[in-house]
Amino acid sequence: MYAARARALLRGWGGVGAMAVLCALALAFVLLLPRTQAAQQAGSASGPEVAGADQARADSCKDADAQKQTLSPSDADGPTIDAIKARTGAKRKLVVGVDQNSYHWGYRNPNTEGAELEGFDIDLAHRIAQDILGDADAVQFKAIPTSQRISAIQDGRVDMVVRTMTITCERLADVAFSAPYFKTGQQVLAPKSSSITGYNTTLAHKKICTASGSTAYGKLKSDRDTGGLPSSTDISTTVPNQLDCLVRLQLGEVDAVVTDGALAASQAAQDPTVELKGQAFTTEYYGVAMKKDATDLVRRVNRILVGYRASGWQASYDTWLSATLGKDSGPSKPPAPQYLRAS
């Protein structure tokens, strides 16, 4: 009976209006469904929440608060985690994009048996694998260049990226992030004998190296365009991986490197002829990056980070970073998380 009435309504010009109503109702259902599903997956938060609806809302995001644009923690499985657990045999592993050239972060140590990957990011990846698959070694590491971190996630080459990746509003338009697991800031790295004193006018007529797709390059370009950096500063040298900048510096092809202070300190530990110049001039937070629709995985990683901050984070920091960053410095404690609140 109802089908006959619908067909009758759709006859003639009156049917156009009816069809519009039906289409509007269908569209509303489609738009509301993801919100309903997200609400059903939400778990209890283990930190303060901030106003918001979901992580996709990068349009109202400000970089100063980008690290707060994440979902509350939950232990619940979902389609993303189920797919990871459904892998069989040798493929039953968490696939993680990492660096293999960042000393003390993601570094393939040639002095270990099998040249094993080690570092602060690697420890975190093992912890996530332990929680999701019950085996800390059930992880497949894939070396991903700085410039390919986002595409590797979007293309499904990796489940997540744990690679000193700063949470920004621009990146939130393409991927989802966990709560922050490390706080740092951009700094200048240059030879000890250099006249450069920091991120200031001493960079005039100097050639600076940054990694392609890095927040460092974005900051330099923005500041040079707006007058915050001398217009004569040459920022044209970009490389796929951050370590390549140190090589360029050692070869004398550039005058300085701009990168996260945490990475710069590790590079200075590799080469005693260079040093950090001046203080950090930005505040940035590293997060674990995942696909935008991997809601269950984002929530699970945030739950894992709650436990990791309480037990594991400090031991990893002391092992890998305290010698270069200090035991009582700003980065020596895990940043407190904040989460979006479902609306």
Side-chain angles (χ1 to χ4, degrees):
M1 180 176 66
Y2 294 109
R5 289 180 180 177
R7 285 194 297 271
L9 284 171
L10 292 176
R11 294 193 188 100
W13 286 102
V16 174
M19 180 64 77
V21 172
L22 291 174
C23 289
L25 290 172
L27 178 59
F29 176 77
V30 170
L31 292 174
L32 288 171
L33 183 59
R35 288 182 177 272
T36 305
Q37 292 173 333
Q40 290 173 342
Q41 291 178 357
S44 59
S46 297
E49 293 184 339
V50 296
D54 57 50
Q55 194 161 14
R57 262 191 200 175
D59 55 340
S60 60
C61 175
K62 296 181 179 179
D63 275 335
D65 297 320
Q67 76 280 2
K68 302 174 184 177
Q69 306 295 309
T70 191
L71 302 172
S72 57
S74 174
D75 283 327
D77 287 354
T80 308
I81 295 175
D82 288 343
I84 293 171
K85 289 183 174 181
R87 294 168 185 163
T88 58
K91 292 184 177 181
R92 193 175 187 274
K93 292 183 178 181
L94 183 71
V95 184
V96 183
V98 296
D99 197 353
Q100 62 178 0
N101 298 311
S102 290
Y103 192 52
H104 289 162
W105 285 91
Y107 180 67
R108 193 170 293 283
N109 189 344
N111 299 315
T112 59
E113 184 178 352
E116 294 295 325
L117 280 165
E118 61 183 27
F120 191 81
D121 281 343
I122 304 303
D123 284 356
L124 176 55
H126 282 299
R127 180 65 169 260
I128 296 172
Q130 172 66 52
D131 184 276
I132 294 177
L133 294 174
D135 181 359
D137 293 325
V139 53
Q140 178 186 352
F141 292 112
K142 286 192 175 183
I144 303 294
T146 303
S147 59
Q148 293 184 24
R149 290 177 296 188
I150 289 177
S151 62
I153 296 169
Q154 293 178 324
D155 297 344
R157 284 178 279 156
V158 297
D159 298 318
M160 61 184 63
V161 166
V162 185
R163 194 189 180 285
T164 59
M165 189 169 178
T166 299
I167 305 167
T168 69
C169 294
E170 182 179 4
R171 289 171 178 170
L172 280 166
D174 298 315
V175 297
F177 277 99
S178 71
Y181 66 87
F182 198 84
K183 181 180 179 181
T184 185
Q186 297 292 324
Q187 283 188 268
V188 177
L189 183 74
K192 291 180 178 179
S193 58
S194 173
S195 61
I196 295 172
T197 60
Y199 193 72
N200 51 40
T201 56
T202 61
L203 293 176
H205 304 288
K206 302 297 184 182
K207 183 177 286 189
I208 313 299
C209 182
T210 57
S212 301
S214 66
T215 52
Y217 178 79
K219 173 66 174 173
L220 265 65
K221 186 178 185 305
S222 174
D223 285 353
R224 197 183 63 173
D225 291 347
T226 58
L229 190 68
S231 59
S232 61
T233 304
D234 184 348
I235 62 172
S236 63
T237 303
T238 59
V239 295
N241 286 300
Q242 186 57 53
L243 184 65
D244 298 335
C245 277
L246 178 60
V247 174
R248 296 289 184 94
L249 187 63
Q250 292 168 331
L251 293 174
E253 295 178 2
V254 298
D255 300 300
V257 173
V258 172
T259 186
D260 306 342
L263 291 176
S266 293
Q267 291 181 7
Q270 288 177 282
D271 185 349
T273 68
V274 301
E275 65 181 3
L276 295 173
K277 301 283 189 175
Q279 300 300 311
F281 53 91
T282 65
T283 299
E284 301 187 12
Y285 296 87
Y286 295 156
V288 179
M290 294 154 276
K291 277 190 174 182
K292 283 184 67 68
D293 61 354
T295 303
D296 57 319
L297 187 59
V298 174
R299 292 187 185 279
R300 174 64 67 83
V301 170
N302 280 342
R303 171 58 68 189
I304 294 167
L305 285 172
V306 170
Y308 194 56
R309 292 186 196 97
S311 177
W313 190 99
Q314 195 65 55
S316 184
Y317 178 90
D318 291 343
T319 297
W320 303 113
L321 305 177
S322 63
T324 54
L325 296 177
K327 292 188 175 182
D328 298 313
S329 67
S332 66
K333 300 296 178 185
Q338 289 186 306
Y339 310 104
L340 289 168
R341 182 172 61 243
S343 61

